[in-house]
Structure formats: structure tokens, C-alpha cells
Amino acid sequence: MKKGDHLFLVDGSGYIFRAYHALPPLTRKSDGLPIGAVAGFCNMLWKLLRDARNTDVGVTPTHFAVIFDYSSKTFRNELYGEYKANRTAPPEDLVPQFSLIRKATQAFGLPCIEMEGFEADDLIATYARLATEAGGDTTIVSSDKDLMQLVNDTVSLYDPMKDKETRIPEVIEKWGVPPEKMIDLQALTGDSIDNVPGVPGIGPKTAAQLLAEYGDLDTLLSRAHEIKQQKRRENLIAHAESARLSRELVTLKKDVPIKEGLEDLVLTPTNGPKLIGFLKAMEFASLTRRVAEATDTDASAVEAAYVEVQKAEEAHGPDMDVTVTATAPGESSSGGDVTPVRGEEIDTPENLAKSRAAEISSLPIDHTAYTCIRDIATLQQWVALARETGTLALNALLNSNDPMQAELCGISIAIAPGRAAYIPLAHKERAEDLWGGGRLDGQIAEKEALEVLRPLLEDRSVIKVAHNLKQDWLALYRRGIEVAPFDDIMLISYVLAAGVNAHDLESLADKWLSHAPMSFKDLVGSGKAKITFDMVDLEHSTSFAAEHADIVLRLWEILKPQLVADRIVSVYERLERPLIPVIARMEHRGICVDRNILSRMSGDFAQQAAAMEDEIYELAGERFNIGSPKQLGDILFGKMMLPGGSKTKTGQWSTSAQVLEELAAEGLPLPRKIVDWRQVTKLKSTYTDALPGFIHPTTKRVHTSYSLASTTTGRLSSSEPNLQNIPVRTAEGRKIRTAFIAPQGRKLISADYSQIELRVLAHVAEIPQLTQAFADGLDIHALTASEMFGVPVEGMPAEIRRRAKAINFGIIYGISAFGLANQLGIPREEAGSYIKRYFERFPGIRDYMESTKAFCREHGYVETIFGRRAHYPDIRASNPSIRAFNERAAINAPIQGSAADIIRRAMVQIEGALADAGLSEIQMLLQVHDELLFEAPEELVETAIPLIRHVMEQAAGPVRALSVPLKVDARAADNWDEAH
DNA sequence: GTGGTCTCCTA
DNA sequence: GTAGGAGACCACA
């Protein structure tokens, strides 16, 4: 570098936050990737490189570099542990942009400089010094006051967003001191955002005045006793050390051991195609055009580059390593001393979401505008249109609710609000007998249609949107198509409003569009007269199906921005959306169930039940329907006048197992028999009789269906059949699990988290004894008992431990004396005293419960560790029992929900981890809340188990790593009973 | 046939 | 005390 050269140093990290807050949120069209700050950054770089002459700077650079913070931990933390300790994690939709902005810098062909242990400001200070020494000039592209100290005759600051340059006069004008005194000024004033202490009561005005009078900080501090104002004098004397420490913190380091010298920063001409490839990947159309013109590149000949988006865990940059503590939404403002510029033309994510909702919901829905696509040429036209808009809403119309069995009746699509169509594929002629005749003419064959649609469905640049996509995804997966990328409005709604409203399409259309879509039920009828969708005529089916896709598209336009406005993008993108293909593949695989074992058991149960029925009639003195609680209650408490009856809320005699057990304990034979009979008939009807009916005719396996959006807490649910409630507690019940088997040559691997909810509780409530106990691998229930009752863990009576265990579970469920008393069969007063003692031993738990309730009352929801929200608006109900119920649920939800999030994360990661280890033959089959069940070739079991365990145990981290270890037990066997 | 109630299976 | 799904019964249509 020589005289006349000009170095530009861009404060990349500062710019990221500034642009994020100042610019309207922008997302990549095709997949919703947030890119607002990236867009601002690219535009700024391009402007600096091309037109710097036309700005306040008035010069063009010869040397150029973009400087970043590596992390927020630097040598300053060693000086002062609290430095920047007030920072919170960056907003969700900003996180992916850290790495994108580094990639943008590289695409521009500019050096991207960062160094662990130093802030960007230190690197900037060092390069500015080197440039000055070499005789060159420096422009620092930033407006951070921390950099003002560097300004001199050859170094200036430039704010690209205000197009304003800061030289020596501007520093004096703004701060009242010349740049060389900025350090002393900052030492006095401190900085609440970076947590630089300074001297209390002294702001910039006073500091400037004092420095003008006394010259510098050291002189001021040594002569502080001369100051007239009492308070000011006292503060300066008392906080002299703090001022000196602050001076060290704010002084930028000018001798960082840099790797790249000035010669590495020489500006080279822009590589047009390289930059355009990146800009295209970001879908920045107008900048692409400008760069193409300026670099004389044919943009249409350049392919969009593949730009990988880093996960939050991998991203580094300012503040990424800050542990997030419970911060109420809206409270967190990242971005140093950035002043958000919010002109009238700039809008907040909230307002954007709101105006989008208003705009979309005002568009009328017109059924006559829908198209019925009946030939390939028309279909191809629609495919081309979808490529242009980059968005495709779709809905696969099936002739059955079971996507594993269903035939495809047709597919409806929408490419913009109001522009929707239906592609009938297998509709039948309506015959007299309602069961239909042959295939209706004028339909594209399924195979041909799918081959035309396939490139679109798999096109990385077209986002596919559906409501409950898993069903459509699975239907297409069965036909060899893997839809990607995609969004699911049901899951978006679930993330936004779990616990507030239903997420079915009708509810969403009503809520957001004030529109009642055509009723499916009216179309196909019900009961005996019910027909399948392929029997509906083309006019009605087009109306219905196209409207469905149209509504999905409109709702997506409304709901997607709402995720950004509510700052909850990452829950959707990391815990919900990626699970769709994972779960779809699990459902597709199914599990082997041995029909013979079940039918043998059914026979046994039938015999046992028949024998018991005879005895029961004998004891009762008459025949009656044992399965009827009403008749049974009349026999026991009416006819036989047994004592201890209690009533249900409708006034019926209760015949619950609990009541019957109490009677049996008094030696009465009939109640005992009834309990036994119930157990047998339950196992028979719900399991051994019902399960074989779910064995798929061709795969010969059972394919459950998981719902991703039906719980308030974030758990999955399983139905048709429910494989999350297969018996395990009694020996008789467990036998049912022996019917769940691995095929020849394979094994089932069951891996389950040990005590995951108690571990989560220990973490979120920060209970030292529990955290320590888990770290030491102790028996947590015995430890609780020991703490509570003063009994040593060694040789503890089983009954004591059982009580402690019940209390631990009670805590997770939002304990009440009533509930605990019921569970343990003890008086309510005794249960109350247990709870009292528990809270005395673990006061942190009560604090957690109280603060959780308070948070929920204030916000209407509670949050898991990962930010998932469970809404409980009724926590403010005036009815005490409704309120208490919601309070318990609110206490439970962060614990149950965080555990659910952790296993979701494990499920998302496991396929990739297995594939990377060459174990892709190992398949995940089932999830039972804290257990994952896999099927593996026998010879791979030993390699797989440690890997599965590792992924599951590490699934909470690294960003939200728990303060307790997670423990996973895993075992392999031929059937589920032995593996569990 | 549909919907409410009761009971019981799981984590 | 939390979170679910499902079968049987029964009153109602």
C-alpha cells in the first residue's frame, strides 16, 4: 500500500444487526429463508464497489475487506467477566444470515476477516493503523461509536445507510471531544448494552465537559476531589477503578496478530458469474440484473449456486454463544448500540404480516375461475406457470383416509390466489348402484400426469405447500416422488397457536379468510350412502379440490409471515417441517405383527373371560351386561348394597378400577372378579382382536398414523392403530408386545430416554441437588425420599421410595394435594404436608412453578427450552377449578414439551447419522414419547446401538445443552417385549 | 348413525 | 396432578 491508496474496512457484524433492524424482513421466495440483512448487505457492497464516488466518501477503494466478530467471547471477557453479559441470542430469522453474509462476501471476491478472541473492531483498528503507517487512507464502513476513537486525518467513518461520513469535526460536533479523547469519554459514560460499567451518573455531556476541563481521564481521577458537585465527586472517587477498567475494555487493540496483510486486501475486479450465481441463489433479481450489466455477464447462462444454510448450532457470529435465559418476547433487542432506523417506508414484521393478512382475506373466492385439467398440454402450461411464481399449493385427493392404501383420485394445485386447478386422474362413471362403473373419459392417466409433475414437485426452486402435507407426501412417496422443498400450513398454524384454535383447514379458513369452504361431507355423503371421492362428478370435484388448494395457498401467504412476526420461525423449521418426511417414511415402513400370536391370545382371553362371566353371574345372582357400568353399578351398590360407592359427575355409580380395588381389598370376591374380567376383555378387544385388522394386505405390516399437530405440548400422537399405548405394565399385557416382531435376519432395537422429564425439570428449574444426582448417576427417587424423609439411600424401604416417586411424578404434572392423596391412597392433609416438605427441600421447584404460572398469566402461553409455545388462555379464567387445571397444564407443558422437542431433534438427526455411518439399512419404525424403535439387520445391531444412543443423548445440544446429562437405554431382541 | 360418558391402555 | 387414543355402552336422532 502506498500514498493515495484507499482502504475500505466494512464492519460486517455491525452491519448485520443494523440492516436486520432497519430493513423490512425479506424472505427468499422459494422457501422462506430469511434474507433481509443479506439483501441489504449485498446492495451496500455493490454500491461501495461501483459508485463510491457518488457517495459522501467520494473515493473508490483500492483495498477492501469485510471484518466480522468471530464470537462474543474475546480477551475482554478475561478482563471483565460481565463484558457483554447482557446480550441475548440473536433473533431466529437472523441466525441463518450470519453465514450467508460471509458467503456473500466471498461471492463478491472480497476478503472475509475474523479472528477468534478478538472483536471486529480490534481488527479494524489494526488494519487502519497499518494503512496509516503505509501512507494510505482508510474508510471504516460503520457508524459504531466504539470506532470513533480511530478517526484521524487519514481515517474516517462512513455510514452507508445514512450516506454520512464522520471525520474529526463531526466527532467533535457529536461528542464534544476530539477522537483521541473518545476512549476516556467512553470510560466515563460506560455502555449499558455492552455492560461496560463506567461511572454512574455521568453521561456523554458531563464526560465531555469534565475532559475539557481536566484534559484526560487520569488527571480527572487524580483531581476528582476538586469537583464541586457532591454526588459527581463521590461517584468519581468511588468508581475510579471501574472507570480505569472501562477504559481498558473500550480501548481497541491496534496490534492484533493478523494473518492477512494489507497486500492481501488489494481489490480485484468482480468475478461476474461467481457473484451472479450467488445472487441468483438468493433470488435477488434486480441486483442480479445490475451486476450482469456492469460486469458484462449473460445472467441467463449462469446457474444459481448451491448455497448451504448453516444450522443455528453451527453458526457463529456475534452473540451466537450466549446462553439464553428465559426472556420474555419483545424484551430482547440485540444489536449493540444500533439505533433502528424506522422511517415510515420501513415496516415491522408484525405490520407486514398484518397487512398481508388483510390484503389476502379481502380477495374474493370464485369457484367459476377454477380449471379442470384434462389434457397433458394444459397440465404442462400450469407446470410452467408454477415455475414462474415459484409456489405450488397442492392437495392429493384420495379415495381413503389411509394414505398407505389409498388410490389417487386426482391432484389439485394452485399457483396464486384464485388461480387453481384440479387434475382428475381416476374418477369413475356414476352408475345406478352407487358403486360406479368404468373409468370416466377425458382424464390424464396417473402415470403420465405424475411424470409431468415430478420435475416440478422435486424442483428446489419451487416451494410446495399443503395442509397436512405428510399425507400428500406419503401418497406421492409411494409413487416414487419425494416432494421438496415444502411448507405445511397445518404445522405453521400449530407452531403459532397450539392450544388456541384447531388447525384443520376449515377452522383456518374461517379464522383467517372468514370463508367456509365447500363441505367434503356434503359432497360424499355419510354412513351407508357415503361414496369415495372418485365417484364425485368432475364439476363438483373440481370446485372442491381447486378451492382447497386455493385456500391453502392463501393461508400460506398469511401464515408464513406470521411466523417471522411472532419470532418463532426456528421451531417450525427445526422441530416441525423436517419431521414430515421422517415420519412419513416411518409410517410407510410399518412394523411386523404376528397374526398367529395375537389370535392365540384372543382365544385364551375369550376362554378366561367366559369362565369369569359364569363366576360373576353366580356371585351376582343374575345375568347382566358386565361391560355396562350402569348395570354393574346397579348390581353392586343398588342390589347388593356394597359400601364405599362414589358417584361420577353425571350422578352414576362409579365402578372404576380404583373403587373396585378398594372393595376387593375388603375381601369381597365379586369386585375382584370384575377387575380381572375387565383386564382380559380390554386386552382382547382393544389389542388382540383389533390389531390384526390393521395388518396391511400387501406389506403384511401395521402402519400407524402419527399426528404432528394434535397435542398442545408438542408430543406426537398415534392412531389407527394407536401404537403408543401397547400394554407393558402387567405380565399379561406385556405378552401382546411379543407379537411385534422383526422379520427373519433382523432385530428390533428399542432405545428409550431414562427419566427425561425429571432431567428436564432439574435443568429448567435449576435444582442443584437434582442436577448433581443426575450427574452422579444416582437413583433419583431414592434420593428424593432421602432428602424428604431423612432416610439413608442404602437399605431404603420400598414404600418410602414409592411415595417419593409418586411425588416426583406429581411435580411434573403440576402437583395438588388432592391428586397426590388419590394416587398414594393417603389423607389429603398428609399429602399436603408431603408437598410442603418437598418445597422446603427444593425451593427452586416452587420458584419455577410460580414463575411459570406468572409468565403464562402474562403472555397466555408457556415456552419449552427450544421456544415452542403452548397456549393456555384459560389460565385467566375466573372459575377456580378451570384456572387451577390450566395452571397445572402450564407447569407441565414446558417439561413435557421440552422432552418432546428433544426426541423430535433426535428423530430429525438420526437418519443422517445412520447414513453417514453406512447404516442406512437401519430403519426407525415407531416413536413412543421417550422411546424410539428401530429395525436392523442382525449383524449391524452392535454398531448401531452406540450410535443411536449417542445421537439421542446429544439431541438437546449444542446450543441449548442441558445442565444434566441425558441417559438412553438401548437393547435389541427378536420382539418388542424383550427389546424394551 | 352420531355423540356423550365411562373406563383403561401408554408416556 | 400432565399428555393422548380407543372400545363398549347407551340415549338420541
Side-chain angles (χ1 to χ4, degrees), chain A residues 737-897:
Chain A
R737 293 194 173 216
T738 63
F740 290 76
I741 54 172
Q744 194 70 86
R746 297 170 76 88
K747 294 272 181 191
L748 292 178
I749 302 174
S750 162
D752 67 292
Y753 285 105
S754 160
Q755 322 257 33
I756 187 168
E757 294 192 349
L758 273 178
R759 287 170 201 261
V760 167
L761 173 69
H763 170 80
V764 297
E766 300 174 67
I767 309 302
Q769 301 102 304
L770 297 184
T771 312
Q772 189 60 45
F774 280 124
D776 296 344
L778 301 181
D779 175 344
I780 201 72
H781 299 312
L783 176 114
T784 307
S786 165
E787 285 269 353
M788 277 191 62
F789 304 113
V791 183
V793 171
E794 295 291 315
M796 168 167 303
E799 175 59 19
I800 302 280
R801 184 179 178 280
R802 187 182 77 89
R803 292 192 176 194
K805 185 175 174 180
I807 295 168
N808 277 333
F809 275 100
I811 294 294
I812 291 171
Y813 298 153
I815 202 153
S816 78
F818 182 83
L820 184 64
N822 251 342
Q823 176 68 31
L824 285 176
I826 57 176
R828 202 182 313 176
E829 293 71 32
E830 198 181 344
S833 76
Y834 282 3
I835 295 169
K836 189 158 167 270
R837 199 168 334 152
Y838 186 95
F839 284 150
E840 281 162 14
R841 302 302 300 155
F842 305 102
I845 303 263
R846 180 168 37 200
D847 296 345
Y848 163 76
M849 290 182 160
E850 291 306 321
S851 61
T852 303
K853 284 190 273 183
F855 184 94
C856 191
R857 271 192 293 273
E858 185 184 344
H859 298 98
Y861 63 80
V862 287
E863 277 186 343
T864 66
I865 304 173
F866 299 91
R868 174 191 300 282
R869 293 175 193 166
H871 295 258
Y872 296 99
D874 288 346
I875 199 163
R876 299 161 182 148
S878 55
N879 177 327
S881 70
I882 293 178
R883 197 171 59 234
F885 176 80
N886 279 274
E887 286 176 351
R888 291 194 296 271
I891 288 168
N892 174 256
I895 304 169
Q896 190 185 112

Side-chain angles (χ1 to χ4, degrees), chain A residues 62 89 92 140 217 293 325 351 356 374 567 584-585 589 636 665 701 722 740 747-748 826 874 922:
Chain A
T62 57
E92 322 226 334
I140 300 170
L217 183 67
E293 277 169 23
T325 45
N351 287 340
R356 179 76 70 86
R374 304 181 67 164
R567 309 278 185 240
R585 281 190 285 263
R589 284 173 204 128
L636 291 177
R701 294 165 72 106
N722 180 356
F740 290 76
K747 294 272 181 191
L748 292 178
I826 57 176
D874 288 346
I922 295 174

Side-chain angles (χ1 to χ4, degrees), chain A residues 411-423:
Chain A
I411 296 175
S412 66
I413 57 174
I415 54 162
R419 300 182 69 188
Y422 180 54
I423 314 153

Side-chain angles (χ1 to χ4, degrees), chain A residues 4 6 8 48-53 57-63 267:
Chain A
H6 202 117
F8 273 45
L48 286 175
L49 291 171
R50 298 293 303 176
D51 327 308
R53 266 178 220 291
V57 195
V59 288
T60 39
T62 57
H63 295 61
L267 188 59

Side-chain angles (χ1 to χ4, degrees), chain A residues 226-411:
Chain A
E226 297 171 16
I227 291 169
K228 294 190 189 68
Q229 296 90 335
Q230 188 196 349
K231 197 80 202 157
R232 190 174 295 173
R233 182 175 65 240
E234 286 168 0
N235 273 335
L236 276 165
I237 293 168
H239 296 94
E241 263 324 295
S242 150
R244 291 199 182 91
L245 168 69
S246 300
R247 180 170 57 186
E248 267 196 84
L249 290 175
V250 302
T251 303
L252 298 182
K253 209 163 159 55
K254 293 186 173 179
D255 54 356
V256 176
I258 47 166
K259 290 191 219 81
E260 292 89 351
L262 287 177
E263 66 282 0
D264 298 315
L265 312 188
V266 172
L267 188 59
T268 53
T270 307
N271 176 340
K274 183 180 175 192
L275 178 54
I276 287 170
F278 176 83
L279 296 172
K280 277 194 154 182
M282 292 294 106
E283 299 165 18
F284 298 154
S286 61
L287 189 56
T288 301
R289 187 169 35 76
R290 295 211 299 277
V291 172
E293 277 169 23
T295 59
D296 214 11
T297 311
D298 177 9
S300 61
V302 180
E303 280 271 315
Y306 174 68
V307 179
E308 197 178 0
V309 181
Q310 274 185 328
K311 297 176 187 157
E313 295 88 277
E314 295 156 359
H316 69 77
D319 302 347
M320 275 317 293
D321 45 4
V322 172
T323 318
V324 187
T325 45
T327 308
E331 228 173 88
S332 66
S333 80
S334 317
D337 55 351
V338 164
T339 322
V341 189
R342 294 213 195 277
E344 267 155 277
E345 77 283 3
I346 291 166
D347 221 331
T348 62
E350 290 79 2
N351 287 340
L352 245 92
K354 212 181 279 177
S355 66
R356 179 76 70 86
E359 183 195 323
I360 299 282
S361 62
S362 69
L363 301 174
I365 288 176
D366 175 11
H367 286 259
T368 62
Y370 298 143
T371 308
C372 183
I373 300 176
R374 304 181 67 164
D375 59 86
I376 290 281
T378 314
L379 181 58
Q380 279 163 339
Q381 283 170 17
W382 278 81
V383 168
L385 287 171
R387 281 240 165 73
E388 258 169 54
T389 62
T391 311
L392 180 77
L394 78 129
N395 181 33
L397 281 299
L398 307 177
N399 68 351
S400 150
N401 273 333
D402 178 2
M404 276 306 293
Q405 306 239 13
E407 299 292 323
L408 194 53
C409 309
I411 296 175

